Amino acid sequence: MRTRELYGNGPQVSEIGLGTWQLGTKWGEPFNDAEAEKVLEAALENGITLIDTADCYNGGNSERTIGRFQRTHPGKFTVVTKCGRCLNPHVSEGYNSENISRFIDGSLERLQLDALDMVLLHCPPSDVFSRDDVFECLEGLKKQGKIKSFGVSVEKVQDALTAMKYGITAVEVVFNMFRLKPLEELFPKAKEKDVGIIARVPLASGLLTGLYDENTRFGEKDHRTTNRNGERFDKGETFSGVDYNTGLKAVAELKKIFGTDDLIPYALKWILMHEEVSAVIPGASRAEHVSSNVRASGIPPLSAEQMTAVREVYDRYIRALVHDSW
C-alpha cells in the first residue's frame, strides 16, 4: 500500500482509505457489529491506515465500532470524522458553537480518543462556509486540544473554494470518472494552499464497479432506490447525480477502454493518478470489498491514452448531466 501526505505537513496515510457510511452493512439494513469488525480487520490487514466516518453514520455505531477497534489496535489508524448532519432540521443556524462543541465531544466519546485527528463539517448549507464564527469555533477546539485539524466535506466545488480562506487543512469532495469538475479550480487551489483532497463516492454508489446492469435491483430502503432524484438528500450522493441508465451506457464504454468488466481497480487508480488527491475512501459493507478496493494501489499507472479516453466518455455521456450542478 502506497502512502501520501494527508495535507501539508500532515500525517502520512494510505492512499486508499476506508469509508464507513455502510460499515458492516448494506444501505438500509440493520447495523451488524460482527461484520463491521471484520471489515476493520480486513482494512488493517490490507495496509489501510485512513478511516473516514461521521457522527451520524449508522446512528453513531460506525464511530463506536471504530472506537472499540482502536482500543485493541492503538495507533493503527488516522480517523477523519464529520459533524453536522445530526441536526434536525439541518439548517445553517444549527452550526453554532454550542452544537459543534457538543458534536465533537460526542465523537471523542464514541471513538474513545483524547483528540480527533481531523474533523470535517459534513456538507452543511452553503452559507455556513462563509461564516467566521463557525471556523473560529473549530479553531478554538483545536487550541483546546480536542481536534488536531479541521476541514470541510462538500457537495459543491464553490463551497470548498469559499472555505479555503479559513485555514482548513482538507476538503472531502465527490471525485470520480463521472465527476471531473473539481479538476478545474479546486485541485489547483488546494495544491497552492497545501490543502488535502479526500476523494469520496469514488465508485459512484457502485455504478463504476462495472457490476450493475439494467436488471440490478437495490433494497427498498437503499438510497440507490429512494434518492435517485434527491428525495432524501442531495441527489449528487446517489450515483454521483448521474441518471442510472445513462451511467450504464458510459460504464459499457469504460469497460472497453480497460478491457474488463471489473472496473474497481481502474476507477480507483484513475483518481489516484491525480497528485492533488491525498486519499480515496471507497466504502465496504463486507471484508472482501476491502481486499477488492486495495488492488488499485498495486496496479501500474494508467496510460495517457486511457486517461484521455475516460475524459472523452465523460464529455460524451456525463458532462451535461452533472458538471454545472456541483
Side-chain angles (χ1 to χ4, degrees):
M1 174 68 72
R2 294 181 176 88
T3 63
R4 302 187 181 199
E5 197 173 59
L6 184 55
Y7 52 87
N9 297 315
Q12 289 285 321
V13 298
S14 57
E15 64 179 7
I16 298 175
L18 174 66
T20 63
W21 183 6
Q22 71 271 42
L23 177 65
T25 185
K26 292 182 179 179
W27 283 301
E29 291 183 353
F31 187 73
N32 187 322
D33 289 281
E35 195 64 43
E37 184 86 9
K38 292 178 183 177
V39 170
L40 293 173
E41 286 282 3
L44 185 62
E45 292 169 1
N46 281 279
I48 289 175
T49 61
L50 178 71
I51 294 181
D52 175 84
T53 188
D55 55 5
C56 65
Y57 288 172
N58 292 292
N61 282 322
S62 286
E63 283 190 335
R64 291 187 188 95
T65 304
I66 295 164
R68 289 194 299 269
F69 193 84
Q70 289 224 115
R71 286 196 66 182
T72 55
H73 303 82
K76 297 296 184 181
F77 296 115
T78 295
V79 179
V80 176
T81 194
K82 301 183 288 294
C83 71
R85 300 299 294 197
C86 289
L87 289 168
N88 187 17
H90 183 237
V91 293
S92 176
E93 305 88 82
Y95 284 81
N96 54 56
S97 59
E98 179 181 356
N99 283 335
I100 293 173
S101 297
R102 177 167 54 85
F103 295 150
I104 298 307
D105 288 340
S107 290
L108 285 168
E109 180 180 356
R110 287 185 292 272
L111 289 166
Q112 302 187 42
L113 294 170
D114 295 324
L116 301 176
D117 296 316
M118 179 181 285
V119 171
L120 307 177
L121 299 178
H122 197 173
C123 299
S126 290
D127 65 322
V128 171
F129 295 103
S130 57
R131 282 179 46 195
D132 294 353
D133 62 308
V134 170
F135 293 95
E136 287 169 359
C137 175
L138 291 169
E139 190 64 50
L141 290 165
K142 182 179 177 182
K143 290 178 180 178
Q144 292 175 40
K146 290 188 175 184
I147 62 178
K148 297 178 183 178
S149 64
F150 59 86
V152 294
S153 182
V154 301
E155 303 287 3
K156 298 180 179 180
V157 166
Q158 184 56 53
D159 290 339
L161 294 170
T162 299
M164 280 191 184
K165 69 179 181 179
Y166 289 107
I168 61 173
T169 56
V171 169
E172 192 172 284
V173 63
V174 178
F175 179 60
N176 57 47
M177 289 176 170
F178 286 172
R179 291 284 285 272
L180 271 60
K181 186 174 181 177
L183 291 170
E184 295 176 353
E185 289 186 72
L186 178 57
F187 279 29
K189 181 64 70 172
K191 184 177 181 179
E192 175 190 329
K193 292 182 170 291
D194 278 338
V195 171
I197 295 288
I198 302 171
R200 65 187 187 89
V201 197
L203 297 174
S205 307
L207 252 182
L208 286 168
T209 65
L211 301 176
Y212 302 162
D213 60 28
E214 62 276 6
N215 297 314
T216 302
R217 295 294 177 265
F218 305 100
E220 63 178 18
K221 295 183 180 180
D222 192 312
H223 75 101
R224 294 170 293 187
T225 298
T226 63
N227 193 60
R228 293 194 183 190
N229 297 302
E231 295 92 335
R232 293 171 53 199
F233 41 79
D234 192 283
K235 179 182 175 181
E237 299 287 349
T238 302
F239 301 130
S240 296
V242 176
D243 169 74
Y244 183 71
N245 290 323
T246 303
L248 289 179
K249 293 176 183 177
V251 164
E253 296 298 321
L254 293 171
K255 289 180 178 180
K256 294 176 185 177
I257 293 168
F258 296 104
T260 180
D261 288 339
D262 179 8
L263 290 177
I264 295 171
Y266 301 99
L268 297 178
K269 191 69 173 186
W270 180 87
I271 293 170
L272 294 170
M273 291 294 293
H274 299 87
E275 64 177 4
E276 297 89 350
V277 172
S278 304
V280 56
I281 50 169
S285 59
R286 302 289 183 268
E288 55 266 30
H289 297 164
V290 176
S291 301
S292 178
N293 292 337
V294 300
R295 291 176 296 158
S297 190
I299 67 173
L302 304 187
S303 68
E305 291 77 14
Q306 288 171 325
M307 297 295 287
T308 297
V310 170
R311 181 175 284 275
E312 289 173 349
V313 169
Y314 175 80
D315 288 341
R316 180 180 178 187
Y317 291 95
I318 307 299
R319 177 181 287 272
L321 296 174
V322 305
H323 199 80
D324 294 329
S325 296
W326 291 280

